[in-house]
Amino acid sequence: MPGLYPDKLRLRRMRVLKKASLLVMLGCSAWLVDAAADESQPEELQFEGYPDAPAFTVAASERKSRHRRCSRCHDKMDPNPTIRELEDAPHVDYISHGKGHIWCLVCHDEQERESLRTLLGEKLAFTQAHIVCGSCHANREKDWYFGGHGKRLSNWQGERVIYTCTYCHDPHEPAIEPRKPKPAPSIRAGLEKMNNDQHTDVQKSQQPVTKSRQDDND
Amino acid sequence: MTDKRDVQASPPQVNHSRRKFLTKLGAAGAAGSIAGPAWGGQSMQDAIGDFFQDHYRRMTRQEIDEALARIERKAKHRYGVDIKCENTPPQEGVVFGYALNISKCKGYRDCVQGCIEENNQGRDSQLQYIRVLEMDKGTMNLEESDHYYESEKVPAEGKYYLPVQCMQCDDPPCVKACPVEATWMEPDGIVAIDYDWCIGCRYCMTACPYWARHFNWNTPSIPAEELNPNTHYLGNRPRPKGVVEKCHFCIQRTRKGQQPACMEACPTGARIFGNLMDPDSEIRYVLNNKTVFRLKEDLGTEPKFWYFTD
């Protein structure tokens, strides 16, 4: 049916098909190459951050977590890496992060609880929390690197010092608690908020009056 | 737009002889009545100097220095504090822009507090450069916003917060409205006011679609120990009563590379400030990568203040 498939469209379909087959071939060969590389060099997959992002240093920040220092107990305990419900631990009532889908050793190092670990198993200090947070919250992390998320200290020009994620967010309960605002400005005379209920009441009470006038006119 | 620095660099014209004459006259007057109650508590020389002070952009460098010295002396008299009034020029190749993340803003009003303290606003004058509007989620009707919310906890359920301050428009209607040219746009994009040239007619307040300009009804009363001594002629110096004031992107800080006080005070990181001309700046990242909007964009005032969401 030549009428149904104008030449242009058919050409495009052909091209798409060609491209697809090409991609499949490329993919196969790439996989073969990857497999070959894997044998010689075991895993070299690492997130290097964003090299284009403006340079920064992470500000020293206070400890945000409400938990006690992990080492106080865990230095004396044998690590148990089995994923399980923590029933008797003193910190169970307060880990809303991940809504039960993650547990301590996803972010904390198994041997040394006061160090962090990435999903790839790299050990990191608490000050490098952004790398750990970024392994799930990639969009936020990108914004943070480029200055769209997070807080920069004191200047807009010159050395860029920014807080890491855990300065503002408690890592175990990342949502920020509501708090009392600073006092409201005083209301200037004549700018008081209009009471809309009263306003409609007045309109309602006026309605019958106009109606009776109309009646009179009739 | 004429460059202020060009104007300053040009040789003084008629003012020269007049200033000499006035200085002599003032000196004579000061000798006659040292620290008397006349002249509003200042020397006759300063009173005369104030009276004949020219427009900021017409003053020569020397005249500006004299004006700055007068401001410092006046503050010393009024508050007993040694302030430093500067005239930091705009930086080359810098145009300031601001972006505010309304997903992050929680309505704490910390920015308002930071602004009042930085900019020497009267503690009782009902004058704030920033207004935080509480809005119903899903609405954008500024007329139905609440400026005076007093919740126990913010963010309140079903509300979001929209701080409004001077948008530093690129085509500012307030500048067009001013009959005496007391307000203009500086080369770094800040719409500045010469508080000594303003006649207090408030036309600019009517012209501004953002409620950004405020009339100073009384002499600001500030406890001496809270007075911010680092001031700028076009910025946070103690202002006279009866003039119009507004946000100036903390000109006394930002021209030296510091953040505006509202940004520094904001605990959420919702405020992002920087140089629009620098393609690697944080503000440019936001403008390029986020969904941004400006208030009342249809009016064509070209605000340099953007709002965005995560």
Side-chain angles (χ1 to χ4, degrees):
Chain A
M1 290 184 286
L4 263 177
Y5 286 106
D7 282 2
K8 238 184 180 175
L9 196 80
R10 219 183 315 165
L11 262 175
R12 206 187 293 156
R13 281 183 72 213
M14 290 282 284
R15 271 195 212 129
V16 168
L17 277 173
K18 260 189 193 166
K19 265 186 193 166
S21 58
L22 225 147
L23 270 176
V24 169
M25 275 163 66
L26 266 174
C28 282
S29 56
W31 178 76
L32 282 172
V33 170
D34 277 354
D38 274 359
E39 275 171 31
S40 54
Q41 277 181 338
E43 56 114 16
E44 197 47 65
L45 237 140
Q46 225 178 35
F47 176 59
E48 303 269 308
Y50 293 90
D52 301 341
F56 65 90
T57 46
V58 173
S61 55
E62 306 132 42
R63 194 160 165 271
K64 190 76 188 182
S65 172
R66 279 199 274 137
H67 285 162
R68 289 177 168 198
R69 291 219 169 269
C70 323
S71 56
R72 285 181 62 161
C73 303
H74 284 277
D75 274 3
K76 297 169 196 120
M77 292 162 72
D78 285 331
N80 178 1
T82 325
I83 298 177
R84 62 195 186 280
E85 289 262 332
L86 300 172
E87 278 164 4
D88 301 329
H91 41 60
V92 272
D93 53 330
Y94 149 68
I95 308 176
S96 68
H97 191 183
K99 300 188 180 91
H101 293 291
I102 56 172
W103 81 307
C104 319
L105 297 187
V106 173
C107 304
H108 286 272
D109 188 70
E110 187 190 307
Q111 300 299 328
E112 231 179 276
R113 296 298 154 94
E114 273 166 52
S115 295
L116 299 172
R117 69 182 283 276
T118 62
L119 294 178
L120 292 168
E122 301 157 276
K123 208 160 114 181
L124 297 167
F126 277 161
T127 48
Q128 291 166 297
H130 56 275
I131 299 173
V132 178
C133 303
S135 46
C136 295
H137 306 278
N139 287 346
R140 285 280 184 280
E141 189 198 25
K142 189 183 176 203
D143 281 352
W144 180 84
Y145 270 95
F146 287 92
H149 183 104
K151 188 166 165 60
R152 181 175 176 170
L153 275 77
S154 73
N155 61 349
W156 65 269
Q157 197 174 34
E159 201 201 348
R160 183 166 166 242
V161 183
I162 48 181
Y163 286 127
T164 190
C165 317
T166 49
Y167 180 84
C168 303
H169 301 278
D170 182 333
H172 304 114
E173 263 180 4
I176 286 161
E177 284 285 301
R179 72 160 170 85
K180 200 175 162 51
K182 291 270 157 57
S186 45
I187 300 174
R188 286 178 218 170
L191 286 178
E192 295 87 357
K193 202 180 177 199
M194 197 161 72
N195 189 338
N196 283 325
D197 298 337
Q198 241 172 37
H199 190 65
T200 39
D201 282 351
V202 170
Q203 276 185 331
K204 269 178 201 161
S205 64
Q206 277 175 349
Q207 265 174 359
V209 179
T210 40
K211 206 177 181 188
S212 66
R213 268 193 202 143
Q214 272 178 346
D215 289 345
D216 288 348
N217 287 346
D218 288 341
Chain B
M1 203 181 67
T2 15
D3 193 338
K4 166 183 63 71
R5 282 159 298 174
D6 291 348
V7 178
Q8 282 169 19
S10 64
Q13 296 139 15
V14 278
N15 289 348
H16 191 64
S17 58
R18 189 182 70 181
R19 192 176 62 247
K20 262 191 179 168
F21 164 71
L22 289 172
T23 317
K24 278 178 196 162
L25 182 75
S33 62
I34 292 165
W39 319 114
Q42 47 184 342
S43 69
M44 184 193 179
Q45 189 182 1
D46 277 3
I48 291 172
D50 269 355
F51 186 79
F52 286 105
Q53 185 179 310
D54 208 344
H55 188 285
Y56 174 78
R57 296 209 284 176
R58 273 200 301 263
M59 278 194 277
T60 61
R61 208 156 279 239
Q62 191 196 345
E63 282 171 326
I64 284 186
D65 287 343
E66 285 167 8
L68 297 178
R70 276 199 300 276
I71 290 167
E72 287 170 3
R73 282 199 290 274
K74 231 186 291 176
K76 176 81 180 162
H77 176 83
R78 210 157 91 189
Y79 301 101
V81 177
D82 288 308
I83 68 160
K84 198 168 77 182
C85 192
E86 292 174 321
N87 182 37
T88 321
Q91 294 186 26
E92 208 64 51
V94 170
V95 173
F96 291 126
Y98 215 126
L100 199 151
N101 188 344
I102 51 171
S103 321
K104 293 262 173 313
C105 179
K106 304 290 178 205
Y108 298 146
R109 287 206 194 93
D110 283 3
C111 50
V112 181
Q113 191 71 27
C115 176
I116 291 172
E117 284 163 15
E118 169 67 28
N119 288 312
N120 291 326
Q121 287 161 20
R123 302 299 189 257
D124 58 347
S125 62
Q126 311 183 328
L127 188 152
Q128 284 103 25
Y129 296 168
I130 307 173
R131 302 219 128 207
V132 185
L133 314 186
E134 189 181 65
M135 316 259 286
D136 288 326
K137 271 189 181 164
T139 66
M140 198 56 223
N141 189 351
L142 300 175
E143 306 297 328
E144 282 177 11
S145 62
D146 186 358
H147 299 217
Y148 307 105
Y149 63 92
E150 285 273 30
S151 325
E152 205 38 58
K153 291 258 173 81
V154 286
E157 197 69 39
K159 304 282 185 187
Y160 78 97
Y161 298 86
L162 188 81
V164 179
Q165 60 201 84
C166 177
M167 305 277 151
Q168 314 293 352
C169 303
D170 222 34
D171 192 5
C174 51
V175 168
K176 291 179 207 162
C178 182
V180 295
E181 293 183 32
T183 182
W184 65 93
M185 192 164 69
E186 284 279 291
D188 52 6
I190 295 175
V191 177
I193 304 171
D194 184 346
Y195 302 111
D196 292 333
W197 201 256
C198 173
I199 56 170
C201 72
R202 289 174 275 162
Y203 283 11
C204 55
M205 284 169 66
T206 335
C208 174
Y210 304 105
W211 320 298
R213 288 177 166 259
H214 306 275
F215 189 67
N216 192 353
W217 286 97
N218 41 17
T219 315
S221 65
I222 311 161
E225 64 276 9
E226 286 179 26
L227 193 82
N228 176 8
N230 303 315
T231 65
H232 189 287
Y233 183 95
L234 299 173
N236 60 343
R237 66 174 164 117
R239 276 94 46 195
K241 120 179 175 186
V243 299
V244 171
E245 300 181 11
K246 69 170 192 68
C247 159
H248 41 76
F249 275 180
C250 282
I251 202 165
Q252 68 280 356
R253 297 166 60 94
T254 49
R255 281 191 176 175
K256 292 182 190 166
Q258 289 173 289
Q259 286 174 4
C262 49
M263 181 176 173
E264 197 167 271
C266 177
T268 67
R271 290 168 169 270
I272 290 157
F273 179 84
N275 180 9
L276 291 172
M277 309 301 278
D278 175 8
D280 299 326
S281 63
E282 292 159 336
I283 179 107
R284 283 286 292 273
Y285 173 79
V286 170
L287 298 185
N288 290 338
N289 293 282
K290 297 286 175 182
T291 313
V292 294
F293 69 93
R294 299 186 279 186
L295 275 193
K296 304 188 183 180
E297 200 159 16
D298 46 319
L299 298 178
T301 56
E302 298 293 331
K304 292 194 285 291
F305 196 107
W306 286 265
Y307 295 91
F308 70 103
T309 51
D310 274 334

